Amino acid sequence: MSEKTEDIELRLLLDAIFRRYHYDFRGYSVASITRRLRQARDRFGCRTFSQLQDRVLHDPGVLPELLSFLTVQVSELFRDPAYFRAIREQVVPHLRTYPSLKVWVAGCSAGEELYSLAILFREEGLEDRTLFYGTDINPAALKRAEAGVYEIDRMPLFTDNHRLSGGKSSLSDYYTAAYGAAVFDKTLRRRTVFSDHSLVTDAVFAEVHLVSCRNVLIYFDRELQDRAIGLFKDSLVRKGFLGLGAKESLRFSAHADAFTEFARDERIYQKRGAS
Amino acid sequence: MIGASAGAVDALSVLLPALPAGFPLPVMVVVHVPPDKKSVMAELFRNKCRVDVREAEDKEPLAPGTVYFAPPDYHLLVEPDRRLSLSSEEPVHYSRPAIDVLFESAADAFGPGLVGVLLTGASADGARGLRAIADAGGGALVQDPSEAMVPTMPRAGIAACPTATVVPLTQMAAVLGTLGERS
Ligand SMILES: C[S@@+](CC[C@H](N)C(=O)[O-])C[C@H]1O[C@@H](n2cnc3c(N)ncnc32)[C@H](O)[C@@H]1O
């Protein structure tokens, strides 16, 4: 059977985006990217992906909005409290043994995951010796992460999550409410660098003790997952930690042997000593 | 490929145990569950069924004779290479997982070699997906609304996909059982 027209157009569109703008979505999970590009196609009033491709190539203003369809931005503070509880109770005791620490939050979206760790590290007395890197490919998300401003109506959920994660203080200590928004304390990002970095096209940039990369790998096909996990492996110190999303694992990864299961249910892995 | 919401557990308790041992097809199921619910569906049905029952894992290849439940708080999709994938994109019809997301991706992946089943539920989720399956040449089955615990979802399915076959739950089990023989 010959390839469906829509599939051909989708491939060409992703090729065009890569060649023109160097955003590489060619190895993303097909089912979900197709779904989101159909939404974008309709949103831009295009009938086909070919029409959308024409728009993207000739109107640079289209790409930023298209990126918001191509990248899923759903996140929460202390999303999956059990994960952060395991970081707090099981990983932090190991991290305490280092005089200085680096933490990489890969695919940090609008910063929720990074602020969660910054708060947790402050509560555990590790903040002052830690440097955080928050990276993402979506510039709008990085901007929001840097601003640290969230809608106030998300706070009850964030507060519950924080408490369930074993939070030792009140979440309201870390933000001020103003004009329907919650503005997170600037000091939380005193030791944070947010920057543009793609797990698909960029290289390792630092040696870190903890990588937290949640709900990003599910959007990649297996080959890309392997590339990203390889980056994490090369970036981590011996015995460093890798935390994944609740439904992600190293089970199908080519690098599985380089890690041990540290907290199985919370998807936290530890890099092996010898490598 | 099955979607269900309110009343799902009762309906699935009729359907899934009717699948014979050695059933040659994979079965994917989306049930609307609250996001904070621990994964209970697979455990609930594991001991009642003669086929394998598990919760779907990201990038897992589909195996015959296996029932895959979408995990709470994730959409379940099928890739063109017939692996499963998960996504945390926005809820559809207020639900994650959503039936439409699974059905539409499966319609793309399988074309005509697919049967979509829409059961009891208080939502319009699944209607569009059922239509997509029918449009791709697959089969569309809807639980008879007059005997569904909550008829909203079957009714929406029939409205969106008038070519769907309306089947009472008890006969649906038999239909599913024989699907394997035709494959
Ligand atoms: C669903 S969000 C996850 C947010 C957060 N980590 C969490 O679990 O709540 C996925 C993020 O991955 C980012 N992303 C997608 N492709 C990427 C890539 N190639 N490199 C780095 N980040 C990427 C998206 O822009 C988006 O912000």
Side-chain angles (χ1 to χ4, degrees), chain A residues 24-25 28 67 70-76 79 105-110 112-113 135-138 141 197-201 212-216 219-220 224 245, chain B residues 88-89:
Chain A
D24 191 354
F25 293 98
Y28 280 51
L67 275 183
L70 285 163
T71 63
V72 174
Q73 294 300 330
V74 176
S75 188
E76 282 167 24
R79 175 182 191 171
V105 181
C108 67
S109 189
E112 291 92 333
E113 186 180 341
T135 62
D136 204 285
I137 55 165
N138 185 319
H197 179 276
S198 169
L199 296 169
V200 179
T201 48
S212 193
C213 179
R214 316 198 66 223
N215 297 301
V216 180
Y219 300 105
F220 294 176
L224 265 194
Chain B
S88 62
E89 61 205 85

Side-chain angles (χ1 to χ4, degrees), chain A residues 30 215 219-220 247 251, chain B residues 55 57 59 74 79 88:
Chain A
V30 176
N215 297 301
Y219 300 105
F220 294 176
K247 293 293 159 196
R251 198 177 126 199
Chain B
E55 187 167 281
E57 279 197 52
K59 301 293 150 12
Y74 287 85
E79 296 293 316
S88 62

Side-chain angles (χ1 to χ4, degrees), chain A residues 173-192:
Chain A
D173 296 347
Y174 304 101
Y175 66 84
T176 44
Y179 307 107
V183 186
F184 274 77
D185 195 344
K186 275 201 177 60
T187 62
L188 283 172
R189 50 188 181 277
R190 205 172 35 196
R191 304 186 54 80
T192 297

Side-chain angles (χ1 to χ4, degrees), chain B residues 3 50 73 79 83-84 102 108 110 117 128 179:
Chain B
R50 281 171 284 178
D73 209 26
E79 296 293 316
R83 286 176 186 274
L84 295 170
L102 172 66
D108 287 340
F110 287 95
V117 180
R128 256 186 71 144
L179 275 182

Side-chain angles (χ1 to χ4, degrees), chain A residues 21 23 44 59-70 138-140:
Chain A
Y21 301 102
Y23 281 103
F44 284 103
D59 179 355
V62 166
L63 185 79
E65 197 182 335
L66 193 58
L67 275 183
S68 74
F69 285 94
L70 285 163
N138 185 319

Side-chain angles (χ1 to χ4, degrees), chain A residues 4 29-32 35-36 38 72 74 79 215 217-222 225 246-247 249 251-252, chain B residues 39 55 57-60 71 74 77-80 83 86-90 92 96 101 104-105 108:
Chain A
K4 276 186 273 176
S29 292
V30 176
S32 107
R35 178 180 173 75
R36 284 175 282 124
R38 283 180 188 152
V72 174
V74 176
R79 175 182 191 171
N215 297 301
L217 297 182
I218 44 177
Y219 300 105
F220 294 176
D221 69 13
R222 290 210 306 154
Q225 290 185 346
K247 293 293 159 196
S249 78
R251 198 177 126 199
F252 299 113
Chain B
S39 326
E55 187 167 281
E57 279 197 52
D58 184 54
K59 301 293 150 12
E60 176 170 17
Y74 287 85
L77 302 96
V78 192
E79 296 293 316
R83 286 176 186 274
L86 302 177
S87 163
S88 62
E89 61 205 85
E90 285 74 12
V92 175
R96 187 171 56 214
V101 176
E104 287 174 351
S105 68
D108 287 340

